[in-house]
Amino acid sequence: MEEDPNSTLVDPWNGTKQESFRKALKEAIMSGFALTEAANGAKRFRTKETKVSAVNTIYSLLQCTPDLSSEQCERCLKDAIGLIPLCCDGKEGATILLPSCNVRYEMFPFYNQTSNSKETKPKG
């Protein structure tokens, strides 16, 4: 598992209503559910949609390289997610790239929702 070098790409816009945005972002990518499914899935990725408000949704993707074990994938994703408060706090979108995994979230769909329909339906 490789974690260095790492890189981040950050949207310049801040999310509105920061508290609800941070809460939704935490549910979208930092929840154990999304992380565990990404680490244990056959394809080592997970997409998820999380409502911020009636009109705003966070679209997120967690992904590892296929050579990682479930434990390595989970550790890599946790390390990538741990960089979010340092680089991207409150930003509407960001991509955290490590050689063995990546995390991305945006306020627009950036992946094909129909091909991943089982994995992208919002919960609740």
Side-chain angles (χ1 to χ4, degrees), residues 12 40 42 53 57 59 65 83 94 122:
N40 293 310
S53 67
T57 300
Y59 298 85
T65 57
L83 295 173

Side-chain angles (χ1 to χ4, degrees), residues 16-81:
T16 58
K17 298 183 181 176
Q18 288 291 303
E19 192 58 38
S20 61
F21 181 81
R22 284 186 183 100
K23 183 179 177 184
L25 182 59
K26 184 176 181 179
E27 181 186 330
I29 61 174
M30 297 178 197
S31 72
F33 174 74
L35 194 92
T36 301
E37 284 203 357
N40 293 310
K43 295 183 181 181
R44 297 282 190 258
F45 84 97
R46 173 78 164 105
T47 58
K48 188 173 180 185
E49 298 172 14
T50 305
K51 287 286 191 188
V52 178
S53 67
V55 295
N56 292 317
T57 300
I58 296 176
Y59 298 85
S60 58
L61 178 136
L62 292 85
Q63 182 177 27
C64 292
T65 57
D67 61 312
L68 297 184
S69 69
S70 294
E71 295 80 20
Q72 290 172 319
C73 179
E74 187 168 341
R75 190 174 115 218
C76 188
L77 290 171
K78 283 181 179 178
D79 290 347
I81 290 166

Side-chain angles (χ1 to χ4, degrees), residues 50-121:
T50 305
K51 287 286 191 188
V52 178
S53 67
V55 295
N56 292 317
T57 300
I58 296 176
Y59 298 85
S60 58
L61 178 136
L62 292 85
Q63 182 177 27
C64 292
T65 57
D67 61 312
L68 297 184
S69 69
S70 294
E71 295 80 20
Q72 290 172 319
C73 179
E74 187 168 341
R75 190 174 115 218
C76 188
L77 290 171
K78 283 181 179 178
D79 290 347
I81 290 166
L83 295 173
I84 292 173
L86 304 174
C87 71
C88 323
D89 188 38
K91 298 300 183 183
E92 285 190 353
T95 304
I96 295 82
L97 301 166
L98 280 63
S100 294
C101 67
N102 68 82
V103 174
R104 182 177 178 186
Y105 68 91
E106 300 287 351
M107 296 298 290
F108 58 86
F110 60 91
Y111 48 80
N112 183 340
Q113 294 171 285
T114 56
S115 68
N116 296 318
S117 60
K118 282 187 175 180
E119 295 187 8
T120 59
K121 288 183 181 176

